[in-house]
Structure formats: structure tokens, C-alpha cells
Amino acid sequence: MGSWISTWPSGPGEADLPALLCLPPAGAGCQQFRAWTPALADVAQVYGVQLPGRENRWREPMPETFDEAVEAIAAELRPIVAAGRRLVVFGHSFGGLLGYEVARRVPPAALVVSACRAPGHWDGAGRGIVDDDEELDKLFDTAGLDPAFLDEDTRSLMVAMLRKDAQLSLSYTHSPGDRLHVPVHAWGADGDETVTAQELAGWAAITTAGFHVHRVPGGHHAVLRRPETVLEHLAGLLREDVAAPARTA
């Protein structure tokens, strides 16, 4: 079995820097976060979570349950942040839900989620992707990909990955339990048709240490498409110099 966590070393001494763990959206791999490494040079070592069935793990079977994936990620993360190494977790869309459950097992200094409904709003989420081609096409459209212009092989591969991740999300059941004792920052896009303001605001219920909402223009994947603002924010969290944002909920 391949590793659940990847990194892209860019120089000596990175192990002494804080760690940024990045979790991609459904149907995607973590190689996209490699491009974040230069922007965070001398600030953090960037790590990406790689689920099976994509990129360098495309031949590997998916886990049976959501919890199985989370436990595997957490097990690899613990030695990375041993001895008190500062950790910030970032997850986009489905990756935000994974990041939350990882944070419950390996507490970070901060949890940052984007385009992700709060855990209490995930009951049945993803069912439309599994059962309904129109709902699947909406997700392609939201990502700026018109299904009509994808070749058959590319579309088939993307559909398979999306549906596998959606199926995995259906095995998730939120058990509130103890709240996190770290600040949570939720990023949402004004034009996101898949995550409502209420679903984003629900993240306030899972932490005792402060909840902050950040808004950007664009659609569901706006934060990943134009990451400069969130990268600046993440750098501040990693350096421990982020002030409370202007807009909170």
C-alpha cells in the first residue's frame, strides 16, 4: 500500500518548520498542493493527503469506510508532528470533512476548511453524485469543467473518482462528542451553489476556541483557483501571527 501523506521537499531544515496538511476535494489528488510549496518556503513544509484510486495510488482500492481512511491518515500524521511540531490542517470541500476528523485525532494549532458544509450537515451528502448524472454534471460545472468538452476517457476517470469519494462520504456519521479546542476558519465563496451560508456557519458548533468566516467571490472551487489570499492567511496561522478576521460568525 502507498503512503497516505505526500510531501515535496524543497530544501534542508524543512523538518524544523511547522507542517501544513492539505486535503483535496472529492475526485482529486494532492499533487495540486505541490504548487503551494514555493509560496510557503521558510514558513512551513507542505504535506498532501492522497487517498487511493488516483495519481500515484490509482491502482489501490478505496477504504471500506470513512473512518478507516481517517485512521490511516492520522496514523501517518502522528510521527510527522511528534515533539510538538506546529500543525495547521487545511481541507477543501470533502477534504474539509476529512480534515476535521483527522484534527479530532491529531489536534492542530488551527483547522481551516473551505467550500465545506459543517459535519452536522453531511447526512446523505454525496448521494446525488452517486445516483444522479445531473448532480454530477453540476459539480463539473462548478469546477469550471463543461462535461460536453471532456473526452470520454477523461470524463470516465473523473466520474469514477468522484463517485468513489461520494460513496465514501455516505459512510460518514457525525458523532458530536467533545468539541475541538483550536480555532476554526471557514472559507466560503459568494457564488457557491453547493454549500450554503448556513451550512458553512455550522462549523461554529464544533469548536470552543473561536470560529471565523472568510468570504471570497467565485464558485465552489474559488479558493483553490485563486489561492493567494488563503495562502497568506495560512502563512499567518503557521507563524502564529494571524489576527482575528474582520468578519466572524
Side-chain angles (χ1 to χ4, degrees), residues 16-212:
D16 297 325
L17 296 172
L20 173 64
L21 183 72
C22 301
L23 299 99
C30 70
Q31 284 295 321
Q32 62 190 294
F33 297 114
R34 184 173 191 166
W36 289 16
T37 299
L40 294 170
D42 301 321
V43 175
Q45 185 170 1
V46 179
Y47 294 85
V49 169
Q50 190 78 299
L51 268 65
R54 67 218 69 209
E55 293 179 349
N56 62 312
R57 302 189 70 191
W58 73 276
R59 290 182 179 271
E60 297 181 38
M62 289 287 287
E64 293 291 328
T65 66
F66 186 94
D67 283 347
E68 182 183 337
V70 171
E71 293 293 347
I73 297 165
E76 286 195 19
L77 180 60
R78 289 187 182 99
I80 291 173
V81 296
R85 187 182 188 187
R86 187 171 179 82
L87 168 69
V88 171
V89 173
F90 169 85
H92 182 79
S93 194
F94 176 56
L97 185 67
L98 281 169
Y100 161 66
E101 288 294 343
V102 169
R104 298 179 82 178
R105 293 157 174 80
V106 185
L111 171 65
V112 182
V113 296
S114 71
C116 182
R117 57 177 60 88
H121 293 270
W122 271 87
D123 184 31
R127 194 172 304 282
I129 301 172
V130 173
D131 301 330
D132 189 332
D133 284 342
E134 289 187 9
E135 290 298 318
L136 181 66
D137 284 348
K138 285 182 183 178
L139 188 56
F140 276 115
D141 291 340
T142 306
L145 298 170
D146 187 336
F149 292 98
L150 292 175
D151 65 76
E152 185 175 346
D153 289 342
T154 300
R155 177 181 168 78
S156 295
L157 181 61
M158 295 182 71
V159 165
M161 287 192 297
L162 280 166
R163 284 197 162 128
K164 286 178 181 178
D165 287 354
Q167 190 68 50
L168 189 65
S169 76
L170 292 176
S171 70
Y172 177 73
T173 301
H174 180 47
S175 301
D178 293 335
R179 292 191 287 171
L180 295 178
H181 301 301
V182 302
V184 174
H185 297 259
W187 287 70
D190 296 333
D192 190 346
E193 297 181 358
T194 63
V195 180
T196 67
Q198 180 181 5
E199 289 169 338
L200 197 70
W203 284 100
I206 63 95
T207 181
T208 64
F211 172 62
H212 314 284

